[in-house]
Amino acid sequence: MKIVIFHQPFPMGNYNLNHYIGDILQSKGHEVYLIEQLNGMDYTEEYIQQFIDLKPDVLYFEMLDKKTFEVVERIDCKKILVMASKGILNEAIDIPDYYGKWFDGILVNSEIIYNLVKQRTDNVEHFQYYLTPIKEKEVIYDSKYDFDCVFLGQGFHRLSQPEFHRERDTFFTGNPKFNYKVFGNGWPQLSWYGGILPHGDIGKLYGSAKSGISLIEVDQRPYKMINNRYSEMGFCKCPIITFDYDEIDWFGAEKYMNFVNNIDDVTSIVEKCVNNDDDILKKVEGLKTFMDNQHEIFLEKLEGLINGN
């Protein structure tokens, strides 16, 4: 099959993920084209015509910007959406209204959205955790990432919006009592800012740090969505420090998480990670096995949508 994959620009969230999906689909014999989404820029009729002339069998993408969705609407082929956030929608529950327009198959990590879409089509699958876009050979030690604790993600909203006050108070203010680095866009040049993580270094980061912080976005929580940071860190055997969100069903992975409520809890857990506490080591081994299984489940469901009617 000819498969076109739309992805975000580097270093945004699904750049690595969708390139990895492309490699997998290509290894299975598909003809794959990776295209960066328009990111709000306008398009021409010539741009549309390129896709029409290509005659793809499948378009694959996560939530896109408005302009790229307009392009998707113009292309006549199977359209598979992976939905793990509301994206440009006012509310994630609006997604069934776009069946037959933005998608005719959907893979979603929210049982709430799954049940809504199921009323419109059987071409819907629910996944619990993302597959991991990291190869085993990429999970290696690199001394420049040998920190006691790390966080990878955007900082703009986390440093300014009131709904992120709990995250700020716990993870992103003050002077931690451990060797801490934050990577990503939108952080000020503070002592714990590590810059933009280079492409391909996620495995090195989580394979070298003693522990890592993973958080679920405010707009993901009401829909019980778990983002791909948990899969990546679990795959790399990096102990996960997070909140035990009231809204989230961890599907059995909760016994492998390290839940905290405040900075003192964080400091205590990080110390255990640095000292190779036996309980921490058991958790990372258990989570690795758990995420390997989730990886295969995601791929099976995706292949079912691609190859289905």
Side-chain angles (χ1 to χ4, degrees), residues 1 3 21-32 296 299-300 302-303 306-307:
M1 291 185 182
I3 303 177
I21 290 287
D23 289 343
I24 290 175
L25 294 176
Q26 193 166 40
S27 73
K28 295 180 180 297
H30 298 294
E31 186 177 334
V32 177
E296 295 304 319
L299 284 177
E300 288 172 7
L302 174 59
E303 286 189 61
I306 288 175
N307 296 319

Side-chain angles (χ1 to χ4, degrees), residues 180-217:
Y180 179 48
K181 285 293 179 188
V182 169
F183 296 86
N185 279 332
W187 299 98
Q189 300 297 318
L190 300 179
S191 60
W192 38 260
Y193 178 55
I196 301 296
L197 188 72
H199 174 50
D201 274 15
I202 294 179
K204 292 180 182 178
L205 178 69
Y206 293 140
S208 306
K210 303 294 194 306
S211 64
I213 293 161
S214 195
L215 302 170
I216 296 178
E217 291 286 347

Side-chain angles (χ1 to χ4, degrees), residues 140-151:
I140 57 177
Y141 175 80
D142 189 323
S143 60
K144 67 174 176 285
Y145 298 126
D146 188 355
F147 302 107
D148 295 344
C149 188
V150 297
F151 176 76

Side-chain angles (χ1 to χ4, degrees), residues 53-66:
D53 293 342
L54 180 62
K55 297 179 180 178
D57 299 295
V58 178
L59 298 184
Y60 171 88
F61 46 86
E62 295 185 42
M63 289 299 285
L64 299 167
D65 62 289
K66 185 175 184 298

